[in-house]
């Protein structure tokens, strides 16, 4: 199962987006999904390429992706446009 790390990373990002939408009650799930997946991609890029902490077959980069998704969701909640 060579791509299990990527599948778990996508599932975690989607679960975090759903949880953030559920907690805030804003009914903005598509926005949270886009932000979570973008943050996860950024976190994975930082772990794999910038800081060289992990290789693609380790479980360290999905944790970095999860941290990036959480950070992006928090920043989206803080700085999104209010009506």
């Amino acid at each position: 199962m060579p791509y299990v790390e990527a599948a778990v990373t996508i599932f975690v990002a989607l679960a975090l987006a759903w949880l953030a939408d559920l907690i805030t009650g804003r009914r903005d799930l598509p926005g949270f999904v886009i932000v979570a997946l973008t943050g996860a991609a950024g976190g994975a890029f930082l772990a794999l390429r910038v800081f060289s902490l992990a290789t693609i077959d380790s479980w360290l980069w999905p944790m970095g992706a999860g941290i990036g998704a959480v950070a992006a969701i928090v920043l989206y909640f803080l700085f999104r446009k209010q009506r």
Side-chain angles (χ1 to χ4, degrees):
M1 299 179 66
Y3 298 110
V4 73
E5 295 95 350
V8 168
T9 302
I10 291 170
F11 177 75
V12 167
L14 292 175
L16 288 170
W18 176 75
L19 185 65
D21 185 56
L22 187 67
I23 289 173
T24 59
R26 301 282 188 192
R27 299 191 187 268
D28 189 22
L29 185 59
F32 279 117
V33 167
I34 291 170
V35 167
L37 290 176
T38 304
F45 179 76
L46 285 173
L48 288 170
R49 296 293 178 189
V50 175
F51 298 125
S52 297
L53 296 175
T55 59
I56 199 72
D57 60 345
S58 73
W59 282 96
L60 190 60
W61 72 267
M63 288 189 291
I67 292 169
V70 169
I73 288 171
V74 168
L75 290 173
Y76 177 67
F77 180 73
L78 290 176
F79 295 112
R80 70 180 171 192
K81 187 167 53 173
Q82 301 288 328
R83 291 185 183 185

